[in-house]
């Protein structure tokens, strides 16, 4: 029974750590692509 509780806790911790990590991995390239596209097409600053 203790083993099941430990596995459940590890599973919850993996979800809590994995979801933000996946979000960062997906969002950073998207944001960079938007910034580069805006720079090329509209001449915007990369820092805005």
């Amino acid at each position: 029974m203790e083993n099941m509780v430990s596995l459940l806790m590890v599973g919850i911790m993996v979800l809590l750590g994995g979801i933000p990590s996946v979000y960062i991995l997906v969002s950073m390239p998207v944001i960079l692509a938007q910034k580069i596209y805006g720079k090329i097409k509209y001449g915007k600053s990369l820092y805005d």
Side-chain angles (χ1 to χ4, degrees):
M1 187 66 183
E2 290 178 20
N3 195 15
M4 293 296 285
V5 173
S6 296
L7 286 175
L8 182 62
M9 291 298 291
V10 169
I12 291 170
M13 287 187 278
V14 166
L15 283 175
L16 290 177
I19 292 171
S21 298
V22 170
Y23 174 75
I24 291 170
L25 284 173
V26 171
S27 67
M28 288 303 289
V30 170
I31 291 169
L32 287 172
Q34 287 175 339
K35 296 269 184 195
I36 292 169
Y37 176 76
K39 175 70 174 171
I40 293 169
K41 181 144 183 160
Y42 302 112
K44 291 182 178 179
S45 173
L46 293 175
Y47 302 107
D48 289 336

